């Protein structure tokens, strides 16, 4: 199956190349570059020269549709909303790594992303690609809105407890930390070495574009309108996301019972690993893998649950979950091509 990638020189794109290269049923098709079309891919990424040495292409929906079987869009927000309609019309399925098709509300998208939203007909057609929660909808979709990195770690951590009546749904606080590759390959004042090294920054307080996405998913899954406090931080590492989540409990319950509840909920979910009591995951323990590891603790003094959820932002947070979704769309085992164990240390 030939997979095209749009956003060729970006981090999401080269992570897709790495994963597609080891997938038994996928091969790298066209790679589209907005800034480097005509250049050779290996000229930009010499370390990938034995995997892919074709020239980077310009975007043309019909050509892409003729020469490939599926398209991944790894472009900044505001781009795929223009490209996907052309691609769907040309008859090819799309998986979008950006936020353009995740929010059902056009107004919400415009408020939080500051871009013109995608047309409503495509927002209605898009399926939110949280693999473990919506596998059946993903299977039959032509347009997957791949979840954001922070929302992936956050919603996987929160959905099981919100499916019970144990959580005070007005008390949810998420303290999220990300490595710098989460900001993409482009240089920016906030993400270059001297700003990041030996520093720790909170950013977009109360204003992160993932707030509406997380609230949309949690409200859907709990059946109640949920609002959150969500604070993101940039930490001096390349890959990794840790979401430390706090929820007040309405009843007394032990850590062990909560862990049993989560193990039961995710018993069929190969990539979600619930740690035993007293064992809290770190980001390096999922580095380079498609796992989301969860650590859980009930503080009986305060009757508050703490959930620690870690992922690799470029794998389960982006390219890995996109491949997981292609596996589901094709009826393949969801683990196909994603068996990398974490690269520790
Ligand atoms: N980094 C991460 O951890 C995650 C990222 N995402 C999302 O995935 C998408 C890709 O992210 P990432 O790979 O990190 O970003 P990058 O900035 O690394 O790559 C995006 C690429 O898109 C292309 N591009 C940039 N501007 C335009 C434009 N105006 N029109 C067409 N193409 C353009 C560029 O490649 P070229 O010029 O070669 O086309 C650029 O390298 C983003 O929407 C991001 O928010 C989602 C989850 C996690
Ligand atoms: C560290 C860092 O800057 N991370 C980015 C995440 C980008 C992203 O993945 O946003 P979408 O999924 O909405 O495209 C941010 O916080 O904006």
């Amino acid at each position: 199956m030939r997979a095209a990638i749009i956003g060729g020189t970006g981090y999401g794109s080269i992570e897709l190349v790495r994963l597609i290269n080891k997938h038994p049923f996928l091969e790298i098709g066209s790679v589209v570059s907005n800034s480097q079309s005509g250049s050779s891919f290996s000229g930009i990424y010499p370390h990938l020269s034995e995997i892919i040495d074709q020239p980077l292409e310009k975007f043309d929906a019909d050509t892409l549709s003729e020469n490939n079987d599926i398209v991944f869009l790894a472009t900044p927000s505001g781009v795929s909303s223009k490209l996907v309609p052309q691609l769907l019309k040309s008859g090819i399925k799309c998986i979008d790594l950006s936020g353009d098709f995740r929010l059902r509300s056009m107004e919400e998208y415009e408020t939080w992303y500051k871009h013109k939203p995608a047309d409503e007909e495509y927002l209605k057609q898009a399926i939110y690609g949280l693999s473990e929660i919506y596998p059946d909808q993903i299977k039959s979709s032509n347009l997957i809105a791949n979840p954001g990195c922070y929302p992936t770690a956050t919603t996987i951590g929160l959905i099981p407890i919100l499916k019970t009546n144990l959580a005070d749904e007005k008390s949810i606080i998420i303290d999220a930390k990300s490595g710098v590759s989460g900001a993409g390959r482009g240089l920016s004042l906030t993400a270059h070495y001297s700003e990041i090294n030996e520093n720790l920054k909170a950013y977009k307080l109360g204003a992160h574009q993932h707030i509406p996405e997380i609230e949309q998913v949690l409200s859907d899954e709990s059946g109640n309108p949920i609002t959150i406090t969500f604070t993101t931080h940039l930490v001096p590492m390349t890959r990794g996301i840790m979401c430390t989540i706090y929820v007040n409990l309405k009843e007394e319950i032990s850590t062990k019972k909560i862990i049993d509840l989560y193990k039961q909920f995710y018993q069929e979910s190969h990539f979600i690993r619930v740690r035993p009591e007293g064992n809290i995951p770190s980001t390096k323990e999922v580095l380079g893998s498609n796992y989301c590891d969860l650590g859980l603790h009930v503080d009986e003094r305060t009757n508050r649950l703490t959930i620690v959820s870690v992922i690799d932002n470029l794998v389960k947070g982006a390219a890995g979950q996109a491949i997981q979704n292609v596996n589901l769309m094709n009826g393949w085992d969801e683990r196909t091509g994603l068996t990398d164990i974490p690269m520790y240390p």
Side-chain angles (χ1 to χ4, degrees), residues 273-325:
R273 303 187 301 188
V274 181
R275 296 290 181 86
E277 188 164 359
N279 185 319
I280 302 304
S282 70
T283 55
K284 263 194 190 287
E285 292 161 355
V286 292
L287 185 73
S289 79
N290 200 48
Y291 290 115
C292 173
D293 283 9
L294 299 174
L296 299 149
H297 175 75
V298 175
D299 182 342
E300 291 174 3
R301 277 179 328 105
T302 58
N303 205 32
R304 183 172 296 128
L305 170 63
T306 301
I307 305 159
V308 178
S309 177
V310 295
I311 60 170
D312 181 316
N313 53 290
L314 285 171
V315 189
K316 183 60 178 172
Q321 184 149 235
I323 297 291
Q324 191 177 351
N325 289 329

Coordinates of all heavy atoms in Angstrom, one line a residue, residues 273-325:
R273 N -0.4 0.9 28.8 CA 0.2 0.0 29.9 C -0.1 0.7 31.2 O 0.4 1.8 31.5 CB 1.7 -0.2 29.7 CG 1.9 -0.8 28.3 CD 3.4 -1.2 28.1 NE 4.3 -0.1 28.2 CZ 5.6 -0.2 27.9 NH1 6.1 -1.3 27.5 NH2 6.4 0.9 28.1
V274 N -0.9 0.0 32.1 CA -1.2 0.6 33.4 C -0.2 0.0 34.4 O -0.1 -1.2 34.6 CB -2.7 0.2 33.8 CG1 -3.0 0.7 35.2 CG2 -3.7 0.7 32.8
R275 N 0.5 0.9 35.1 CA 1.6 0.5 36.0 C 1.0 0.0 37.3 O 0.0 0.4 37.8 CB 2.5 1.6 36.2 CG 3.3 2.1 35.0 CD 4.3 1.1 34.6 NE 5.1 1.6 33.4 CZ 6.2 2.4 33.5 NH1 6.6 2.8 34.7 NH2 6.8 2.8 32.4
P276 N 1.7 -1.0 38.0 CA 1.3 -1.4 39.3 C 1.5 -0.3 40.3 O 2.1 0.7 40.1 CB 2.3 -2.6 39.6 CG 3.4 -2.4 38.7 CD 2.9 -1.7 37.5
E277 N 0.8 -0.5 41.5 CA 0.9 0.6 42.5 C 2.3 0.9 42.9 O 3.2 0.1 43.0 CB 0.1 0.0 43.8 CG -0.1 1.1 44.8 CD -1.1 0.7 45.9 OE1 -1.7 -0.4 45.8 OE2 -1.4 1.5 46.8
G278 N 2.5 2.2 43.0 CA 3.8 2.7 43.4 C 4.8 2.9 42.3 O 5.9 3.3 42.5
N279 N 4.4 2.5 41.1 CA 5.2 2.6 39.9 C 4.7 3.7 39.0 O 3.7 3.6 38.4 CB 5.2 1.2 39.2 CG 6.1 1.1 38.0 OD1 6.3 2.1 37.3 ND2 6.8 0.0 37.9
I280 N 5.5 4.8 38.9 CA 5.1 5.9 38.1 C 6.0 6.1 36.9 O 7.2 6.1 37.0 CB 5.1 7.2 38.9 CG1 4.2 7.1 40.2 CG2 4.7 8.4 38.1 CD1 2.8 6.7 39.9
P281 N 5.4 6.1 35.7 CA 6.2 6.1 34.4 C 6.9 7.4 34.2 O 6.5 8.5 34.6 CB 5.1 5.8 33.3 CG 3.9 6.4 33.9 CD 3.9 6.2 35.4
S282 N 8.0 7.2 33.4 CA 8.8 8.4 33.0 C 8.8 8.4 31.4 O 8.5 7.4 30.8 CB 10.2 8.3 33.4 OG 10.9 7.3 32.8
T283 N 9.1 9.5 30.8 CA 8.9 9.6 29.4 C 9.9 8.7 28.6 O 9.6 8.2 27.6 CB 9.1 11.1 28.9 OG1 10.4 11.6 29.4 CG2 8.0 12.0 29.4
K284 N 11.1 8.5 29.2 CA 12.1 7.7 28.5 C 11.6 6.2 28.4 O 12.1 5.5 27.6 CB 13.5 7.7 29.2 CG 14.4 8.7 28.6 CD 15.8 8.4 29.2 CE 16.8 9.6 28.8 NZ 17.1 9.6 27.3
E285 N 10.7 5.9 29.3 CA 10.2 4.5 29.3 C 9.2 4.2 28.1 O 8.7 3.1 28.0 CB 9.6 4.1 30.6 CG 10.7 4.1 31.7 CD 10.1 4.2 33.1 OE1 8.9 4.4 33.3 OE2 10.9 4.1 34.1
V286 N 8.9 5.2 27.4 CA 8.1 5.0 26.2 C 8.8 5.6 24.9 O 8.2 5.6 23.8 CB 6.7 5.7 26.3 CG1 5.9 4.9 27.4 CG2 6.8 7.2 26.7
L287 N 10.0 6.1 25.1 CA 10.7 6.8 24.0 C 10.7 6.0 22.7 O 11.2 4.8 22.7 CB 12.1 7.2 24.4 CG 12.9 8.1 23.4 CD1 12.4 9.5 23.4 CD2 14.4 8.0 23.8
G288 N 10.3 6.5 21.6 CA 10.4 5.8 20.3 C 9.3 4.8 20.1 O 9.3 4.1 19.1
S289 N 8.4 4.6 21.1 CA 7.4 3.5 21.0 C 6.0 4.1 20.9 O 5.8 5.3 21.2 CB 7.5 2.6 22.2 OG 6.8 3.3 23.3
N290 N 5.0 3.3 20.6 CA 3.7 3.8 20.5 C 2.9 3.6 21.8 O 1.7 3.7 21.8 CB 2.9 3.0 19.4 CG 1.7 3.7 18.9 OD1 1.8 4.9 18.6 ND2 0.6 3.0 18.8
Y291 N 3.6 3.3 22.9 CA 2.9 3.1 24.2 C 2.5 4.4 24.8 O 3.1 5.4 24.6 CB 3.9 2.3 25.1 CG 4.1 0.9 24.8 CD1 5.4 0.5 24.4 CD2 3.1 0.0 24.8 CE1 5.6 -0.8 24.0 CE2 3.3 -1.4 24.4 CZ 4.6 -1.8 24.0 OH 4.8 -3.1 23.7
C292 N 1.4 4.3 25.6 CA 1.0 5.3 26.6 C 1.0 4.6 27.9 O 0.3 3.7 28.1 CB -0.3 5.9 26.2 SG -0.9 7.0 27.5
D293 N 1.9 5.0 28.8 CA 2.0 4.4 30.1 C 1.3 5.2 31.1 O 1.5 6.5 31.2 CB 3.5 4.2 30.5 CG 4.1 3.0 29.8 OD1 3.5 2.4 28.8 OD2 5.2 2.6 30.1
L294 N 0.6 4.6 32.0 CA -0.2 5.3 33.0 C 0.2 4.9 34.4 O 0.3 3.7 34.7 CB -1.7 5.0 32.9 CG -2.3 5.4 31.5 CD1 -3.8 4.9 31.5 CD2 -2.3 6.9 31.3
G295 N 0.5 5.9 35.3 CA 0.7 5.6 36.7 C -0.5 6.3 37.5 O -0.9 7.4 37.1
L296 N -0.9 5.6 38.6 CA -2.1 6.1 39.3 C -1.8 6.1 40.8 O -1.2 5.2 41.3 CB -3.3 5.2 39.0 CG -3.7 5.1 37.5 CD1 -4.3 3.8 37.1 CD2 -4.7 6.2 37.1
H297 N -2.3 7.2 41.4 CA -2.2 7.2 42.9 C -3.4 8.0 43.5 O -3.7 9.1 43.1 CB -0.9 7.9 43.3 CG -0.7 8.1 44.7 ND1 -0.4 7.1 45.6 CD2 -0.9 9.2 45.5 CE1 -0.3 7.6 46.9 NE2 -0.6 8.9 46.8
V298 N -4.0 7.4 44.5 CA -5.0 8.1 45.3 C -4.4 8.6 46.6 O -3.8 7.8 47.4 CB -6.2 7.2 45.6 CG1 -7.2 7.9 46.5 CG2 -6.9 6.7 44.4
D299 N -4.5 9.9 46.8 CA -4.0 10.5 48.0 C -5.2 10.4 49.0 O -6.1 11.2 48.9 CB -3.5 12.0 47.8 CG -3.0 12.6 49.1 OD1 -3.3 12.0 50.2 OD2 -2.3 13.6 49.0
E300 N -5.1 9.5 50.0 CA -6.3 9.3 50.9 C -6.5 10.5 51.8 O -7.5 10.7 52.3 CB -6.1 8.0 51.6 CG -6.3 6.8 50.5 CD -6.0 5.4 51.1 OE1 -5.8 5.3 52.3 OE2 -6.1 4.5 50.3
R301 N -5.4 11.3 52.0 CA -5.5 12.5 52.9 C -6.5 13.5 52.3 O -7.3 14.1 52.9 CB -4.2 13.2 53.1 CG -3.2 12.7 54.1 CD -1.9 13.5 54.1 NE -1.6 14.0 52.8 CZ -1.7 15.2 52.4 NH1 -2.3 16.1 53.3 NH2 -1.4 15.6 51.2
T302 N -6.3 13.6 51.0 CA -7.1 14.7 50.3 C -8.2 14.1 49.4 O -9.0 14.8 48.8 CB -6.2 15.5 49.3 OG1 -5.6 14.5 48.4 CG2 -5.1 16.2 50.1
N303 N -8.2 12.8 49.3 CA -9.2 12.1 48.4 C -9.1 12.6 47.0 O -10.1 12.9 46.4 CB -10.6 12.1 49.0 CG -11.4 10.9 48.4 OD1 -10.9 9.9 48.3 ND2 -12.7 11.1 48.2
R304 N -7.9 12.7 46.5 CA -7.6 13.2 45.2 C -6.8 12.2 44.4 O -5.9 11.6 44.9 CB -6.9 14.5 45.2 CG -6.6 15.2 43.9 CD -6.0 16.6 44.0 NE -7.0 17.5 44.6 CZ -6.6 18.3 45.7 NH1 -5.4 18.2 46.2 NH2 -7.5 19.1 46.2
L305 N -7.3 11.9 43.2 CA -6.6 11.0 42.3 C -5.5 11.7 41.4 O -5.8 12.8 40.9 CB -7.6 10.3 41.3 CG -7.0 9.5 40.2 CD1 -6.2 8.3 40.7 CD2 -8.1 9.0 39.3
T306 N -4.3 11.2 41.4 CA -3.3 11.7 40.5 C -3.0 10.7 39.4 O -2.8 9.5 39.7 CB -2.0 12.0 41.2 OG1 -2.2 13.0 42.2 CG2 -0.9 12.6 40.3
I307 N -3.0 11.1 38.2 CA -2.8 10.2 37.0 C -1.6 10.8 36.3 O -1.5 12.0 36.0 CB -4.0 10.2 36.0 CG1 -5.3 9.9 36.7 CG2 -3.7 9.3 34.8 CD1 -6.5 10.3 36.0
V308 N -0.6 9.9 36.1 CA 0.6 10.4 35.3 C 0.6 9.6 34.0 O 0.7 8.3 34.0 CB 1.9 10.1 36.0 CG1 3.1 10.5 35.2 CG2 1.9 10.9 37.3
S309 N 0.5 10.3 32.9 CA 0.4 9.7 31.5 C 1.5 10.1 30.7 O 1.7 11.4 30.5 CB -1.0 10.1 30.9 OG -1.1 9.6 29.6
V310 N 2.3 9.2 30.1 CA 3.4 9.5 29.3 C 3.3 8.9 27.9 O 2.9 7.8 27.8 CB 4.8 9.1 30.0 CG1 5.0 9.9 31.3 CG2 4.9 7.6 30.2
I311 N 3.8 9.7 26.9 CA 3.9 9.2 25.5 C 5.1 9.8 24.9 O 5.6 10.8 25.4 CB 2.6 9.6 24.7 CG1 2.4 11.1 24.6 CG2 1.4 8.8 25.2 CD1 1.3 11.5 23.6
D312 N 5.5 9.3 23.7 CA 6.4 9.9 22.8 C 5.5 10.8 21.9 O 4.7 10.3 21.2 CB 7.2 8.9 22.0 CG 8.2 9.5 21.1 OD1 7.9 10.5 20.4 OD2 9.3 9.0 21.0
N313 N 5.7 12.1 22.0 CA 4.9 13.0 21.2 C 4.8 12.8 19.7 O 3.8 13.1 19.0 CB 5.3 14.5 21.5 CG 6.7 14.7 21.2 OD1 7.6 14.3 21.9 ND2 7.0 15.5 20.1
L314 N 6.0 12.2 19.2 CA 6.0 12.0 17.7 C 5.5 10.6 17.3 O 5.2 10.4 16.2 CB 7.5 12.2 17.2 CG 7.9 13.6 17.1 CD1 9.4 13.7 16.8 CD2 7.1 14.4 16.0
V315 N 5.4 9.7 18.3 CA 4.9 8.4 18.0 C 3.4 8.3 18.4 O 2.5 8.6 17.6 CB 5.8 7.3 18.6 CG1 5.4 5.9 18.1 CG2 7.3 7.5 18.4
K316 N 3.1 7.9 19.6 CA 1.7 7.8 20.0 C 1.0 9.2 19.9 O -0.2 9.2 19.6 CB 1.5 7.2 21.4 CG 0.1 7.0 21.9 CD -0.7 6.1 21.0 CE -2.1 5.9 21.5 NZ -3.0 5.1 20.6
G317 N 1.8 10.2 20.0 CA 1.2 11.6 19.9 C 1.0 12.1 18.5 O 0.4 13.1 18.3
A318 N 1.5 11.3 17.5 CA 1.4 11.8 16.1 C 1.5 10.6 15.1 O 0.5 9.9 14.9 CB 2.5 12.8 15.8
A319 N 2.7 10.3 14.6 CA 2.9 9.4 13.5 C 2.5 8.0 13.9 O 1.9 7.2 13.1 CB 4.3 9.4 13.0
G320 N 2.8 7.6 15.1 CA 2.5 6.2 15.6 C 1.0 5.9 15.6 O 0.5 4.9 15.1
Q321 N 0.3 6.9 16.2 CA -1.2 6.8 16.2 C -1.8 6.8 14.8 O -2.8 6.1 14.5 CB -1.8 7.8 17.1 CG -3.3 7.7 17.3 CD -3.8 8.2 18.7 OE1 -4.4 7.4 19.4 NE2 -3.5 9.4 19.0
A322 N -1.1 7.6 13.9 CA -1.6 7.6 12.5 C -1.5 6.3 11.9 O -2.4 5.8 11.2 CB -0.9 8.7 11.8
I323 N -0.3 5.6 12.1 CA -0.1 4.3 11.5 C -1.1 3.3 12.2 O -1.7 2.4 11.5 CB 1.3 3.8 11.8 CG1 2.3 4.7 11.0 CG2 1.5 2.4 11.3 CD1 2.3 4.7 9.5
Q324 N -1.3 3.4 13.5 CA -2.2 2.6 14.2 C -3.6 2.7 13.6 O -4.3 1.7 13.4 CB -2.3 3.0 15.7 CG -3.0 2.1 16.6 CD -3.0 2.5 18.1 OE1 -2.3 3.5 18.5 NE2 -3.7 1.9 18.9
N325 N -4.0 3.9 13.2 CA -5.3 4.2 12.6 C -5.3 3.6 11.1 O -6.4 3.0 10.7 CB -5.6 5.7 12.5 CG -5.9 6.2 14.0 OD1 -6.5 5.4 14.8 ND2 -5.6 7.4 14.2

